[in-house]
Amino acid sequence: MSLRSTPPDRRTCWRHARLATFAPGAPWGWIDDGAFVTEGAQLAWVGADADLPPDPRVDAEVNLEGALVTPGLIDAHTHLVYGGDRAGEFEQRLQGASYEEIARTGGGIRATVAATRAASDDELFASAAKRARLLMAEGVTTIEVKSGYGLAEAHEARCLAAARRLARELPLEVRTTSLAAHALPPEFTGRPDAYIDAACTWLAGQKARGLVDAVDAFCDTIGFTPAQTERIFTEARRLGLPVKLHAEQLSDQDGAALAARFGALSCDHLEHLSARGSAAMKASGTVAVLLPGAYYFLRETKLPPVPALRDAGVPMAIATDHNPGSSPALSLVLMLNMACTLFRLTPEEAWRGVTVHAARALGLADRGMLAAGLRADFAVWDAEHPCELAYRFGHSPCRRRVFGGRETDAAMPARSACRNESS
Ligand code: DI6
Ligand code: FE
């Protein structure tokens, strides 16, 4: 049976868990002595153990002995598929070069583009699978993966296809995003508008091949202008693809307001977001995806306007932004701590950011909470309360991981990845 096939409608009753369901109501959606029933890939019932209805159809019962259970974690922003790494650039930055200077002199994203184009399909897949397994070992069950290191039609398609292959070969949901408008490739130096014209023509083919779920762009001084971003978004809309945006990361381009006009699923980064941008996001129901790994690694000092987002009621998600240049992070659990320490989110806000709000940032209504009718994607932790996972760092006590009702070894995937794929 393949990893992706839905298990038979086997009913399992999981009892005596501390449940952080994130369902509306109590803080954390907390249930002290909780139980839930999985039926195949879905949750059939969630509630207090004392309220568990008698169910003769249950095939198996598991006593969780008070362990914490949360929804499977969702990493709503990654650039997981690429060749090479940028450890050398890290050293340059330690000697004083800025991220923007390195980008302007042909390093940065362009260096990764060269390494990505040089990598074979199998190499791209194997390196991305190794990274995905490390995320999965910490209870991650859904990830988003962007293209954006191919920057030519065939190479962008190869990267999206590698992301789709992750979902076929690993017990993991993968949403793909086309990010051709990430940087200007060398063939188009000095001709950004011509590049955007070309990138617009690739989207229909990506969609026809089933390679893409959403469209993103990098709207910034070292990326693309709002007018160029708008052209990509217009083509996405014509094709019925939702959009998201790398917005106001290094400067305020009013990108969030532009994305909001297109009903964007999310605007991501947002360190330089204005009050106008956050109001526009609220009005369009756009999620703010905050990326503390990139803030930390680039030693940014301008914080995203968390109090304004909170006051405006804009849902906040937290993601790794895993990429080789600005956030080589492979721990979504660590991002919980960073979101609290650096961005001053509450532990509950940070957790909602990797569950309910992350699901919304991907347009997925079937996950992110533990509730009847949603997917049976969950993690069992060696902890009594989710706050502990936001408080500790360098420590990810995932004990069990269940994806679509099927238990997968939470720890082994990462270890076997290191054995099998690092040679
Ligand atoms: N913003 C980022 O932080 C990443 N992409 C983007 O638009 C960085 C990508 C890289 O440096 O490779
Ligand atoms: Fe990013």
Side-chain angles (χ1 to χ4, degrees), residues 77 79 146 179 182 216 246 269 291 321 323 326:
H77 182 140
H79 308 245
K146 301 174 194 296
L179 178 57
H182 192 198
D216 192 351
H246 281 69
H269 287 286
L291 304 167
D321 190 18
N323 75 74
S326 71

Side-chain angles (χ1 to χ4, degrees), residues 147-160:
S147 68
Y149 290 117
L151 306 189
E153 186 170 17
H155 290 295
E156 284 290 294
R158 288 197 315 125
C159 292
L160 293 168

Side-chain angles (χ1 to χ4, degrees), residues 58-195:
V58 163
D59 302 294
E61 193 172 293
V62 180
N63 184 346
L64 289 164
E65 296 174 345
L68 170 69
V69 175
T70 67
L73 272 51
I74 300 173
D75 193 347
H77 182 140
T78 85
H79 308 245
L80 214 65
V81 176
Y82 58 85
D85 68 50
R86 305 241 289 279
E89 179 182 307
F90 177 56
E91 289 204 57
Q92 273 178 277
R93 285 204 293 115
L94 288 170
Q95 285 155 12
S98 75
Y99 180 78
E100 288 93 330
E101 277 159 16
I102 292 169
R104 286 207 178 86
T105 52
I109 295 175
R110 275 196 185 191
T112 301
V113 170
T116 302
R117 290 178 177 181
S120 70
D121 291 356
D122 283 342
E123 285 165 347
L124 286 177
F125 169 74
S127 60
K130 183 170 163 179
R131 296 174 196 124
R133 287 190 176 105
L134 289 164
L135 292 170
M136 291 160 63
E138 293 193 351
V140 170
T141 48
T142 298
I143 63 174
E144 184 251 18
V145 177
K146 301 174 194 296
S147 68
Y149 290 117
L151 306 189
E153 186 170 17
H155 290 295
E156 284 290 294
R158 288 197 315 125
C159 292
L160 293 168
R164 283 282 191 247
R165 186 173 161 197
L166 291 176
R168 282 199 306 276
E169 299 197 16
L170 300 175
L172 177 71
E173 180 72 46
V174 179
R175 302 296 285 179
T176 59
T177 300
S178 177
L179 178 57
H182 192 198
L184 196 61
E187 306 76 44
F188 284 88
T189 301
R191 297 185 298 130
D193 284 308
Y195 177 64

Side-chain angles (χ1 to χ4, degrees), residues 193-412:
D193 284 308
Y195 177 64
I196 293 294
D197 286 343
C200 284
T201 67
W202 305 340
L203 285 178
Q206 290 171 358
K207 186 183 175 199
R209 291 174 60 191
L211 290 176
V212 61
D213 300 314
V215 175
D216 192 351
F218 182 29
C219 182
D220 220 309
T221 48
I222 58 168
F224 294 93
T225 64
Q228 289 157 351
T229 302
E230 182 161 358
R231 279 162 54 210
I232 287 274
F233 280 3
T234 302
E235 178 61 4
R237 178 150 70 190
R238 193 183 71 79
L239 294 167
L241 290 168
V243 301
K244 38 184 58 232
L245 188 64
H246 281 69
E248 342 303 12
Q249 179 185 6
L250 306 169
S251 62
D252 182 9
Q253 302 288 317
D254 215 10
L258 166 66
R261 274 201 281 123
F262 282 81
L265 286 173
S266 71
C267 289
D268 304 38
H269 287 286
L270 300 174
E271 279 82 347
H272 295 259
L273 180 70
S274 65
R276 177 182 132 79
S278 108
M281 288 173 66
K282 170 65 184 167
S284 60
T286 299
V287 177
V289 180
L290 305 178
L291 304 167
Y295 174 90
Y296 161 79
F297 196 66
L298 296 182
R299 302 184 77 225
E300 297 291 350
T301 50
K302 186 153 172 47
L303 286 162
V306 167
L309 290 166
R310 187 186 282 136
D311 290 350
V314 175
M316 293 180 279
I318 303 295
T320 60
D321 190 18
H322 175 85
N323 75 74
S326 71
S327 186
L330 282 166
S331 169
L332 190 54
V333 172
L334 176 60
M335 296 305 118
L336 293 172
N337 179 273
M338 285 191 174
C340 298
T341 308
L342 300 173
F343 293 171
R344 315 312 284 169
L345 266 68
T346 67
E348 186 181 353
E349 284 174 329
W351 264 98
R352 288 188 180 273
V354 297
T355 53
V356 252
H357 295 157
R360 182 161 162 190
L362 298 180
L364 297 172
D366 63 348
R367 67 198 70 202
M369 287 188 274
L370 299 174
L374 300 192
R375 279 183 61 84
D377 290 350
F378 60 91
V380 183
W381 305 92
D382 233 334
E384 296 196 350
H385 195 278
C387 200
E388 289 169 44
L389 278 94
Y391 148 73
R392 291 203 181 91
F393 58 97
H395 173 74
S396 302
C398 183
R399 200 193 281 174
R400 302 171 83 159
R401 173 188 184 273
V402 174
F403 174 73
R406 295 172 73 89
E407 182 149 9
T408 67
D409 187 324
M412 282 309 289

